[in-house]
Amino acid sequence: METILKAFNIVKWFGDRDNKMYALKEISLEAHYKEILFIIGPSGSGKTTLLSVISGILRPNEGTVIVKDRNIWEMNGDELTSFRLNNIGFVFQDYHLFPKLTSAENVAIPLILKKISWDDSIKKALKYLEIVGLGGKGELPPYKLSGGEQQRVAIARAIVSEPDLIIFDEPTASLDGETGRQIISFVKSNLLNESRTIIIVTHDARIYEFADRIIHMEDGKIKQSDEWKGDMYEK
Amino acid sequence: MLKSAKKAAGYIKSSVINLAGMRGLFRIALKLLVNDKGKFLTIIIGVTFAVFLMNQMTSMFAGILESSVSSVANVGAQMWVMDPSVETVANSIPLPDYVLDYVRSIKGVKFAEPIYFGGGLVKLNSGKYQYATIIGLDDTSLFGRPVIIDGNIKNIYESHAFIALKDANYNLLDSPPIGTTFEVNDYRGVIVALAKTATPSSGLFGIPTLYTTYSRATQDLPNTRYVMSYVILDPKKKTDIPYIERKVGDLGYLALTQDDFESKIKNYYIYKTSMGMNIGLMTLISFIVGLSIAGQTFYAFVLENMEKFGALKAIGAQKKELIYMLLFQASVVSFIGYGFGILLSSMMIAFAKLRVPNYVAMVNYTSLTIAFFMVLLIAGFSSYLGIRKVLKIEPFDIFRG
Ligand SMILES: Nc1ncnc2c1ncn2[C@@H]1O[C@H](COP(=O)(O)OP(=O)(O)O)[C@@H](O)[C@H]1O
Ligand SMILES: [Mg+2]
């Protein structure tokens, strides 16, 4: 299996030198193409911190992160920013859509950041809104959409530039159970392909079944890492 | 040297290309701003208000200053000789006669003549009294004469002749046509010609102007003093000016070019009366009020979108792209506000001039420029606050929610 991401011995602490609070304690992991990897664990176990370190958003104190054969924490700031733009799609828990822009404009932002022309960006954004099942809603501002629909807009924004790695942080936390399941099911059956990896951080047990592999964190460490097999974790 | 120049050129080139590529982001920035209608309007109103007030103040002051030198401009002599303590043209200090002879004897003086500046109380036919500036022109040369628009300058030699200056204060004499009779200090006068001003502005404090001959002004008019107010002269060549200034200085008097005399008068109003200070303060206050309205609202706008800007950072917006977006937004509101503010104050001044012909405000490049720089400061300050905030935000904090 080809790996898209390798992390070795990641250490991350917060606070000052004399009063370190370790959020990640020597974590290593791998992610492969065509896999949907879940990172689960109780609140405060370090999931978001880990996600940020491996996606080039938060610099670790120790350790190495290789994404698509690039050592991302050796890049300079601008390089890393454009690396994220070109290779990683983000879906945030609170969506973070601009309320004063239309859905299509929100989705088009990564393309506009890539200096693609306005018209082409909007055209492609509309196509991706259709892919996530929001055809015809491109002109609406996000606040006129339901929570699930807003999440889909955020997903469309994350995939519009066709990144190889898509990262979700607690994607279902603000959704009701059924909507959450629908969305993750959609993600799994429509967005995963040969050249793509999806990493989902969650502690929502109702969606564990969509995982190919699950990494279980606790207290800044990986407690377990398994292929998904039926009732592995209590729901 | 060459290397760093090349580097700078490369940098400019790359940022120009960048800006072209930023078109889409600017469009996003504009939509974010304009679609937030409440804040957008508040910021524009703030800037408009500040620009309006600032421009109003500075235009008014410019008008006052321009008016304060209009008599000097009307006389149009290249140089003026005066007592060193003279501060404005109307408050002249008498010169002894030998000054005229002395000035005439200076090498480089083409010709020099006396001129009288004084006041007279005019009794109009309506029975109304009106104070007027009386200017007495040298009898033979009429040096310093105004441009005649009706009648003939020679008519000034007729008995009791006066020429009225048709400026914004002309109506205070009941707009007398040629042939109108009146009394000045109980002396009979008759209007024989009308003159126009050399500058668009008129004398300060709503005082009309009458020209007559030097001898009539100093000898025939009761209550005027038989004295010379200034010696006005033209040098042979511009290069003679410093020498003339020095020679007049040797005698203990002051010789100034027209420009220098005008600056001296303006400086008097700017620095020695409370007018300059008050206008300056009002301008500053308008600036601060506008700055705080616009700055605060813009800051609130940035704060409201802070998390989204953080999300943009995570997605892959470069810092400088975010900075450009904010600068662009601040510039847009500032320039719109500037336009509205200038428009508003120009309209206001034009309207006021319709109602009050001698309203002194004038919009000039100086006041436009002052307001423009103030607006740049407002835009700079507002975006500075926002930029600092946006640069500080960590995408990680966005992730953590
Ligand atoms: N910026 C920060 N400053 C201090 N402590 C932090 C910061 N971010 C995270 N932490 C701490 O690190 C630990 C892991 O946090 P996080 O990765 O957000 O956990 P999770 O996403 O699993 O809930 C927590 O104890 C949290 O309080
Ligand atoms: Mg978390």
Side-chain angles (χ1 to χ4, degrees), chain A residues 52 78 84 98 100 105 115, chain B residues 31 35 313-314 318 321:
Chain A
S52 305
D78 283 356
R84 286 202 305 269
F98 284 104
K100 302 291 179 185
E105 287 160 358
K115 315 279 190 273
Chain B
K31 280 172 183 259
N35 291 350
K313 261 189 174 176
Q318 307 277 3
E321 290 173 328

Side-chain angles (χ1 to χ4, degrees), chain B residues 1-13:
Chain B
M1 195 48 194
L2 199 67
K3 221 169 152 189
S4 65
K6 260 187 186 162
K7 212 169 140 190
Y11 182 77
I12 290 169
K13 211 167 142 193

Side-chain angles (χ1 to χ4, degrees), chain B residues 64-77:
Chain B
I64 290 175
L65 292 180
E66 214 43 54
S67 302
S68 68
V69 300
S70 68
S71 313
V72 176
N74 284 335
V75 166

Side-chain angles (χ1 to χ4, degrees), chain A residues 47-48 93 169-170 201, chain B residues 399-400:
Chain A
K47 306 183 295 295
T48 299
Q93 174 178 333
D169 193 16
E170 311 267 6
V201 156
Chain B
F399 250 132
R400 293 188 63 224

Side-chain angles (χ1 to χ4, degrees), chain B residues 277-331:
Chain B
M277 172 114 112
N278 285 338
I279 302 247
L281 268 179
M282 287 303 292
T283 309
L284 190 68
I285 291 169
S286 333
F287 169 69
I288 291 171
V289 171
L291 178 71
S292 48
I293 297 177
Q296 267 186 34
T297 317
F298 190 73
Y299 188 59
F301 165 79
V302 173
L303 281 189
E304 196 163 277
N305 285 301
M306 191 55 75
E307 291 183 344
K308 281 85 187 179
F309 281 121
L312 281 191
K313 261 189 174 176
I315 290 170
Q318 307 277 3
K319 276 181 185 165
K320 61 172 183 277
E321 290 173 328
L322 296 177
I323 293 175
Y324 283 146
M325 283 174 82
L326 289 177
L327 283 177
F328 178 72
Q329 290 169 331
S331 310

Side-chain angles (χ1 to χ4, degrees), chain A residues 14 48-49 51-52 55 57-58 77-79 81-82 84-86 88 90-102 105 109-110 112-113 115-116 118-119 157 167-169, chain B residues 17-18 20-28 31-33 35-37 304-305 307-321 325 394-401:
Chain A
F14 295 103
T48 299
T49 308
L51 201 59
S52 305
S55 60
I57 277 181
L58 183 67
D78 283 356
E79 248 183 306
T81 305
S82 67
R84 286 202 305 269
L85 180 61
N86 290 306
I88 305 176
F90 293 91
V91 181
F92 311 99
Q93 174 178 333
D94 301 323
Y95 323 138
H96 294 307
L97 302 168
F98 284 104
K100 302 291 179 185
L101 297 180
T102 66
E105 287 160 358
I109 281 178
I112 289 167
L113 283 171
K115 315 279 190 273
I116 292 169
W118 180 271
D119 290 346
R157 180 176 66 181
I167 284 194
F168 291 75
D169 193 16
Chain B
I17 290 166
N18 256 338
M22 289 275 301
R23 283 223 310 269
L25 278 179
F26 285 154
R27 195 155 164 184
I28 291 281
K31 280 172 183 259
L32 285 177
L33 184 70
N35 291 350
D36 198 341
K37 288 192 192 66
E304 196 163 277
N305 285 301
E307 291 183 344
K308 281 85 187 179
F309 281 121
L312 281 191
K313 261 189 174 176
I315 290 170
Q318 307 277 3
K319 276 181 185 165
K320 61 172 183 277
E321 290 173 328
M325 283 174 82
E394 285 294 335
F396 175 58
D397 297 324
I398 302 307
F399 250 132
R400 293 188 63 224

Side-chain angles (χ1 to χ4, degrees), chain B residues 32-332:
Chain B
L32 285 177
L33 184 70
V34 174
N35 291 350
D36 198 341
K37 288 192 192 66
K39 291 207 180 62
F40 183 59
L41 284 179
T42 312
I43 301 170
I44 287 182
I45 289 171
V47 178
T48 301
F49 171 78
V51 169
F52 169 69
L53 283 181
M54 291 190 294
N55 198 50
Q56 201 66 20
M57 294 297 149
T58 50
S59 300
M60 200 169 86
F61 197 43
I64 290 175
L65 292 180
E66 214 43 54
S67 302
S68 68
V69 300
S70 68
S71 313
V72 176
N74 284 335
V75 166
Q78 291 187 43
M79 292 188 79
W80 294 63
V81 175
M82 67 199 76
D83 188 283
S85 348
V86 165
E87 291 189 302
T88 71
V89 65
N91 301 320
S92 58
I93 295 169
L95 293 176
D97 284 341
Y98 67 82
V99 175
L100 178 61
D101 298 330
Y102 177 83
V103 170
R104 280 177 171 157
S105 72
I106 297 174
K107 200 172 69 164
V109 172
K110 196 155 128 204
F111 48 81
E113 304 294 350
I115 193 165
Y116 172 82
F117 262 83
L121 194 60
V122 177
K123 186 182 180 200
L124 301 170
N125 284 327
S126 61
K128 199 176 84 179
Y129 285 92
Q130 169 65 47
Y131 191 78
T133 297
I134 308 289
I135 299 177
L137 303 172
D138 174 63
D139 290 56
T140 43
S141 66
L142 299 182
F143 187 31
R145 62 174 169 265
V147 179
I148 303 297
I149 49 169
D150 195 2
N152 192 317
I153 185 72
K154 297 272 183 268
N155 299 345
I156 204 170
Y157 296 123
E158 292 169 9
S159 53
H160 300 273
F162 286 84
I163 296 172
L165 184 65
K166 208 168 170 184
D167 62 3
N169 299 318
Y170 172 65
N171 63 330
L172 297 174
L173 294 172
D174 293 347
S175 308
I178 291 179
T180 310
T181 56
F182 56 92
E183 283 174 21
V184 200
N185 298 355
D186 300 325
Y187 174 88
R188 200 177 70 84
V190 57
I191 301 290
V192 296
L194 300 179
K196 67 169 189 173
T197 54
T199 57
S201 60
S202 309
L204 195 50
F205 308 127
I207 299 172
T209 303
L210 291 171
Y211 287 88
T212 188
T213 60
Y214 184 77
S215 56
R216 193 174 298 125
T218 55
Q219 296 163 39
D220 300 348
L221 281 189
N223 301 344
T224 56
R225 289 181 292 175
Y226 178 57
V227 288
M228 176 165 66
S229 308
Y230 301 95
V231 172
I232 51 178
L233 66 98
D234 276 4
K236 289 192 179 117
K237 303 188 297 285
K238 282 246 178 306
T239 45
D240 292 328
I241 291 174
Y243 177 72
I244 297 170
E245 286 173 344
R246 212 166 51 240
K247 290 302 280 183
V248 170
D250 288 345
L251 193 66
Y253 289 90
L254 186 62
L256 292 175
T257 60
Q258 176 179 340
D259 282 350
D260 289 346
F261 190 25
E262 290 185 0
S263 316
K264 183 180 163 84
I265 295 168
K266 288 181 180 175
N267 285 338
Y268 169 75
Y269 284 104
I270 296 175
Y271 300 110
K272 299 214 178 144
T273 67
S274 50
M275 221 182 297
M277 172 114 112
N278 285 338
I279 302 247
L281 268 179
M282 287 303 292
T283 309
L284 190 68
I285 291 169
S286 333
F287 169 69
I288 291 171
V289 171
L291 178 71
S292 48
I293 297 177
Q296 267 186 34
T297 317
F298 190 73
Y299 188 59
F301 165 79
V302 173
L303 281 189
E304 196 163 277
N305 285 301
M306 191 55 75
E307 291 183 344
K308 281 85 187 179
F309 281 121
L312 281 191
K313 261 189 174 176
I315 290 170
Q318 307 277 3
K319 276 181 185 165
K320 61 172 183 277
E321 290 173 328
L322 296 177
I323 293 175
Y324 283 146
M325 283 174 82
L326 289 177
L327 283 177
F328 178 72
Q329 290 169 331
S331 310
V332 166

